[in-house]
Amino acid sequence: MTTDQNMPGYEWSTVQDAPVRELFPGIRLRPLWLGGNGAKAHVLEMDPNTCWQGIDVHEPGPEEVFVVSGVFNDGDRDYPAGSFIHAPAGSSHIPQTMTGCTLFVFYPEG
């Protein structure tokens, strides 16, 4: 993450420069930004035929997802590229994909 000296408060990063952490086999997290109040932004990459291990519970706040590419499934339905999903605090799902997908994931409250 880089701070722009000419624009106070501006920070930027690139997906290819973000460190990669494998959460589960074939599921990788790339942190892009962390706010002072715990808010955070990530890119989540899921290879074809992968599934989150266990249930993903949204705590302490909501989770907001934009499907950048592929088709994401939350355990109930498919969301193609271009879909936006708001999952309120306390909700849960089991992220999975048959095709593979890339997601932008934002946690406004951490």
Side-chain angles (χ1 to χ4, degrees):
M1 186 173 348
T2 303
T3 302
D4 190 328
Q5 301 298 326
N6 297 321
M7 302 291 288
Y10 275 57
E11 298 176 31
W12 62 276
S13 60
T14 63
V15 173
Q16 52 271 43
D17 291 337
V20 179
R21 188 173 105 214
E22 187 166 48
L23 300 177
F24 305 109
I27 300 176
R28 295 167 303 283
L29 183 72
R30 295 177 182 263
L32 297 176
W33 175 78
L34 179 61
N37 66 346
K40 51 192 168 188
H42 301 286
V43 166
L44 186 74
E45 302 165 332
M46 299 179 71
D47 291 343
N49 301 309
T50 54
C51 184
W52 197 266
Q53 295 177 4
I55 298 173
D56 181 25
V57 179
H58 309 117
E59 295 176 335
E63 175 185 75
E64 297 176 343
V65 177
F66 179 77
V67 182
V68 176
S69 65
V71 178
F72 171 71
N73 182 288
D74 65 2
D76 286 325
R77 65 174 300 220
D78 286 337
Y79 300 91
S83 298
F84 173 79
I85 306 150
H86 170 82
S91 66
S92 64
H93 62 177
I94 302 174
Q96 54 198 287
T97 182
M98 296 296 289
T99 64
C101 63
T102 299
L103 310 173
F104 173 76
V105 183
F106 181 64
Y107 300 95
E109 298 174 24

